[in-house]
Amino acid sequence: MRTFPLTLAAALAATLLLTGCDDDKTGGDDVKNADRKSGSGCALGDMGVEVGAGAAPAAGDTGTVTVTLTNKGAQCALKGFPGVDLLAEDTTTSVSPDEAAKAQSLTLGEGGTTSFTITYVRGEAGSEKSLKVHKASFTLPGDTKNAHDLTWSYGEVARTAVGGGAAQASVSGFETSGD
C-alpha cells in the first residue's frame, strides 16, 4: 500500500513541473530562442553587430566595410551569403557575392563571432556613373525578413554603366573569427 502514495506523489510532482512550462516566447533573453532549435539558422535579432571600414579615399579607389556579428542566442548555423542592398534616394541595388568566394556552412555557438566584408569602388561625386548611397542593409541566410541597416558614410559607389548599371561592389562569404 505504501507504493501507491509514493507513485501518486511522483505523478503530482511531475504534473506540477510540466505545468510550470508554457509556450511564452515573449519574455526576456532566456526565452527569446525557445522556439529555435540549437543549430538552426541564425536570427539577426540574436546578433550583436559591429562595423569597421577601410573607406576608399578617392574616386576609383577600393574600400571595404567589415561587419562583425556576435551570436547572443543559442547555437545556430549560417549557410550561404549575407544579402546586401545599397540604398540611394530613389533606387536600391543588390550587391552580388564576390566571384572568388564560396558559400560555406558555419556554426556559431553562443558568443561565437563571424564577419563578412563589403568591397566597393568609390564613385566620383555627382557623376551619373555613381550611386549616392546613404544606407546599406543586410540580411542573414534563412532570415531574409529581418534586415539590419547601416549608415553609409563612405562616399558614392561607382556603377558599371551611366545612370543604372550595377554597383561596383561585392560581398564576401562569412569568415570565422576568434578561436
Side-chain angles (χ1 to χ4, degrees):
M1 282 288 216
R2 286 188 176 218
T3 57
F4 178 73
L6 290 177
T7 305
L8 182 61
L12 284 172
T15 302
L16 289 173
L17 283 173
L18 290 174
T19 307
C21 297
D22 64 14
D23 290 330
D24 180 20
K25 293 172 182 60
T26 60
D29 291 338
D30 291 340
V31 294
K32 73 179 178 180
N33 292 315
D35 59 344
R36 189 161 55 94
K37 293 180 189 175
S38 178
S40 66
C42 294
L44 192 53
D46 292 335
M47 297 289 163
V49 178
E50 290 183 38
V51 178
D61 291 341
T62 300
T64 59
V65 178
T66 301
V67 177
T68 301
L69 304 170
T70 302
N71 184 14
K72 296 181 177 182
Q75 179 175 305
C76 63
L78 293 168
K79 297 177 184 174
F81 290 91
V84 177
D85 290 326
L86 301 177
L87 294 84
E89 290 179 15
D90 60 347
T91 189
T92 299
T93 302
S94 292
V95 176
S96 298
D98 184 319
E99 291 177 5
K102 292 183 180 182
Q104 62 178 341
S105 294
L106 179 66
T107 301
L108 287 179
E110 185 176 353
T113 61
T114 187
S115 62
F116 65 89
T117 301
I118 303 166
T119 302
Y120 70 98
V121 175
R122 185 161 180 172
E124 186 177 330
S127 169
E128 288 186 31
K129 201 171 174 182
S130 294
L131 183 64
K132 189 173 183 178
V133 176
H134 63 86
K135 185 184 338 178
S137 178
F138 73 88
T139 59
L140 299 179
D143 188 23
T144 57
K145 292 182 181 181
N146 298 304
H148 185 87
D149 294 337
L150 309 170
T151 300
W152 190 270
S153 58
Y154 316 114
E156 295 185 24
V157 176
R159 291 182 174 212
T160 57
V162 174
Q168 291 186 28
S170 63
V171 62
S172 73
F174 294 101
E175 304 287 331
T176 56
S177 300
D179 295 333

